[in-house]
Amino acid sequence: MEYIKGRLDFHVAEPTVLSIGKFDGLHRGHELLMDYVFQKKKEGMKAVIFTFDVPPKKSLEQDAARVLTTNEEKMHLFEQIGIDYLIECPFTEEIMHMPAEEFLKKIVEQLSIRCIVAGTDCSFGYQRRGDYRMLQKYAPEYHYEAQIVDKMQYEGRDISSTFIREEIAAGNMEKAELLLGYAYFVQGTVVHGNQIGRTIGIPTINLLPPQEKLLPPFGVYAARVEIDGKRYNGITNIGCKPTIAGDNPVGVETNLFDFYGDLYGKHAKVSLLKWVREEQKFQNVSELKVQMEKDIAFCRSFLGDSAASE
Ligand SMILES: Cc1cc2nc3c(=O)[nH]c(=O)nc-3n(C[C@H](O)[C@H](O)[C@H](O)COP(=O)(O)O)c2cc1C
Ligand SMILES: Nc1ncnc2c1ncn2[C@@H]1O[C@H](COP(=O)(O)OP(=O)(O)OP(=O)(O)O)[C@@H](O)[C@H]1O
């Protein structure tokens, strides 16, 4: 996949099928759009995703300002599914104020678009004036096909990134998984923690998630972990470890079941499957250990041998 970012003079000479949007989380609704995109790819067009690189909101205090997938994660997801070009267009003043018609003409010409796939709520151009009707209107003049897709729904509500962010912020991991089509995950490099875990017989791998990544509420989760292509069942604590003195950063730490070894520096993908309980401040580490053992027993039974069976 070619990743074109930071420039307005993006060009693709081959005929393309394009989809446009934020694609935060790449959920089941987006997947529906991708089905149409890949149909066209089979017919010989190059698959292009067009998205804007909007600077992160100043205040990340609110969950709505955080993202399901960072730009880097999105890039990997698009690459995995077989997108040929990912265009991350800088959201400059010029782009922000470009009339929708002009914007459409620009991308059709520069990207040799033959088909545009979009949902009924897509919007583009100054004051978001461009919509699916505009895409349909200009299709004959610009010689592309407009493939407009009705929004996929779940229990009467449109599936959207906003919907999924709300579910994750409420700790509803199973529902988020249904909407996403895969379990919500946090990934990163395994870093050193306080090394207390091993002294209580429950070692953990520690990840420090990017600031903009939306995390579910602080607490304990049943997890599935992927490292070097291998899958493990495990249990994850998200939070600042209030039982442990000091100003601990927000961490995602996981005890892998039936694994012993050194994983520092490795890349780990931790999928959060089910909320188990809130993170608590215990009187001391011994009390915390008793609770952690109960949590592990619960998660072992909840997960069964699911990692091995997939
Ligand atoms: C299953 C599990 C549950 C945890 N629950 C809590 C908790 O409720 N409160 C807390 O302060 N720390 C909790 N922790 C974090 C522990 O304090 C932490 O794993 C331990 O101090 C080791 O940290 P280290 O890897 O930095 O050495 C939990 C960790 C795990 C794996
Ligand atoms: N549930 C859905 N079914 C079909 N198409 C969808 C669905 N959700 C989004 N799309 C389409 O996918 C493209 C990208 O959508 P985008 O990520 O911008 O919005 P979204 O998923 O609705 O999230 P939000 O508006 O909450 O940020 C758009 O063309 C949009 O219309």
Side-chain angles (χ1 to χ4, degrees):
M1 186 182 76
E2 201 171 318
Y3 185 23
I4 305 175
K5 61 181 292 188
R7 51 199 293 181
L8 298 179
D9 64 340
F10 42 79
H11 286 275
V12 177
E14 304 133 295
T16 64
V17 48
L18 173 135
S19 195
I20 182 168
K22 295 188 287 287
F23 298 102
D24 185 21
L26 207 54
H27 55 64
R28 283 180 57 217
H30 296 143
E31 211 180 293
L32 183 62
L33 258 68
M34 294 304 122
D35 289 345
Y36 288 98
V37 167
F38 289 115
Q39 212 169 296
K40 292 292 170 188
K41 181 172 162 152
K42 263 200 205 136
E43 292 167 20
M45 297 179 196
K46 293 289 177 188
V48 182
I49 295 294
F50 190 97
T51 185
F52 289 103
D53 185 12
V54 182
K57 301 236 170 61
K58 284 208 181 70
S59 161
L60 285 172
E61 286 309 305
Q62 284 174 350
D63 288 335
R66 295 182 187 259
V67 295
L68 300 170
T69 39
T70 62
N71 285 351
E72 199 188 335
E73 288 172 343
K74 231 187 268 182
M75 182 190 73
H76 288 301
L77 284 171
F78 281 127
E79 191 161 43
Q80 271 167 23
I81 64 171
I83 293 297
D84 298 301
Y85 295 89
L86 170 60
I87 300 182
E88 220 175 81
C89 177
F91 202 50
T92 58
E93 286 289 319
E94 182 190 345
I95 284 288
M96 226 180 288
H97 293 104
M98 192 176 280
E101 291 85 350
E102 194 185 323
F103 172 79
L104 181 58
K105 186 167 189 283
K106 174 181 170 72
I107 63 168
V108 169
E109 284 174 357
Q110 289 184 201
L111 298 172
S112 315
I113 297 174
R114 300 286 182 276
C115 179
I116 301 184
V117 184
T120 44
D121 67 341
C122 84
S123 62
F124 54 90
Y126 184 49
Q127 294 176 332
R128 306 170 76 93
R129 290 254 171 85
D131 62 2
Y132 78 92
R133 288 183 199 86
M134 188 182 283
L135 292 178
Q136 288 170 326
K137 181 179 162 198
Y138 283 97
E141 188 179 334
Y142 291 151
H143 308 290
Y144 63 78
E145 177 191 339
Q147 181 74 62
I148 306 303
V149 181
D150 281 331
K151 294 273 280 190
M152 183 187 273
Q153 294 204 329
Y154 181 81
E155 290 177 345
R157 179 171 173 188
D158 286 355
I159 297 178
S160 70
S161 308
T162 307
F163 186 3
I164 299 167
R165 278 196 291 269
E166 285 170 17
E167 295 301 334
I168 289 172
N172 299 330
M173 306 318 290
E174 290 104 323
K175 187 152 172 195
E177 181 170 351
L178 273 171
L179 300 171
L180 283 166
Y182 56 89
Y184 189 59
F185 62 83
V186 177
Q187 58 186 342
T189 305
V190 177
V191 296
H192 288 272
N194 301 325
Q195 307 194 351
I196 294 171
R198 65 182 72 172
T199 67
I200 55 171
I202 309 175
T204 53
I205 55 166
N206 293 267
L207 303 181
L208 296 174
Q211 259 221 321
E212 71 272 26
K213 177 92 180 176
L214 176 68
L215 292 177
F218 284 3
V220 178
Y221 295 82
R224 192 185 309 121
V225 183
E226 223 179 288
I227 301 171
D228 282 344
K230 280 202 189 124
R231 284 169 169 237
Y232 307 89
N233 285 337
I235 188 164
T236 299
N237 185 63
I238 299 184
C240 299
K241 316 182 206 187
T243 312
I244 312 298
D247 204 4
N248 301 307
V250 177
V252 173
E253 59 167 317
T254 305
N255 170 250
L256 305 178
F257 299 159
D258 309 314
F259 175 86
Y260 307 90
D262 180 2
L263 293 169
Y264 290 126
K266 295 264 185 202
H267 181 268
K269 176 173 171 184
V270 177
S271 296
L272 303 163
L273 307 183
K274 183 183 173 58
W275 186 87
V276 177
R277 67 165 173 88
E278 269 177 25
E279 188 186 46
Q280 294 162 37
K281 183 168 169 32
F282 290 89
Q283 290 298 316
N284 50 53
V285 174
S286 317
E287 277 186 24
L288 167 63
K289 182 179 183 225
V290 171
Q291 181 58 46
M292 283 166 78
E293 278 163 356
K294 284 186 194 156
D295 299 333
I296 290 173
F298 173 82
C299 285
R300 275 190 182 273
S301 123
F302 172 76
L303 294 165
D305 55 3
S306 58
S309 65
E310 277 174 30

